[in-house]
Amino acid sequence: MSEQTWKVYLSGEVHTDWREVIKNGTEKAGLPVEFLAPVTNHDASDNCGVDILGGESSSFWKDHKGASVNAIRTRTLIEKADIVVVRFGEKYK
């Protein structure tokens, strides 16, 4: 019988290394986990819409495109996840 690999989506604040702490702990424990997460590089996340769909002259539409592409990616990964972990930073508790 093969061991199931759990897909865990790590959502939430991007200003600390909490994702790495969890990843390192599960690796040390030998747990069968595959991690999924949002794009945590701000520039890459903000620019994904215009990088994929083309430029915009208005920052509003640039942000809208980026948010839309990120929402599709996030929704898809959450649907694939067995477990979703959300961490809110101190500022947003």
Side-chain angles (χ1 to χ4, degrees):
M1 178 183 220
S2 66
E3 190 173 87
Q4 177 180 353
T5 298
W6 294 91
K7 292 182 180 172
V8 178
Y9 186 85
L10 300 176
S11 181
E13 66 99 1
V14 297
H15 302 290
T16 65
D17 68 345
W18 71 274
R19 287 178 180 85
E20 293 306 314
V21 171
I22 290 174
K23 289 176 185 178
N24 291 339
T26 57
E27 187 176 306
K28 283 181 184 177
L31 299 175
V33 176
E34 173 188 349
F35 289 102
L36 310 169
V39 175
T40 57
N41 175 295
H42 284 288
D43 289 336
S45 177
D46 291 347
N47 293 320
C48 69
V50 293
D51 288 348
I52 295 168
L53 302 171
E56 288 291 341
S57 58
S58 163
S59 61
F60 172 84
W61 290 111
K62 175 187 179 245
D63 292 345
H64 182 73
K65 273 187 179 179
S68 296
V69 170
N70 282 320
I72 292 168
R73 182 179 185 280
T74 298
R75 187 177 316 113
T76 300
L77 292 177
I78 287 174
E79 287 174 359
K80 290 182 177 188
D82 299 303
I83 300 168
V84 175
V85 177
V86 181
R87 175 183 164 87
F88 294 98
E90 289 297 319
K91 184 177 178 182
Y92 300 105
K93 280 190 173 182

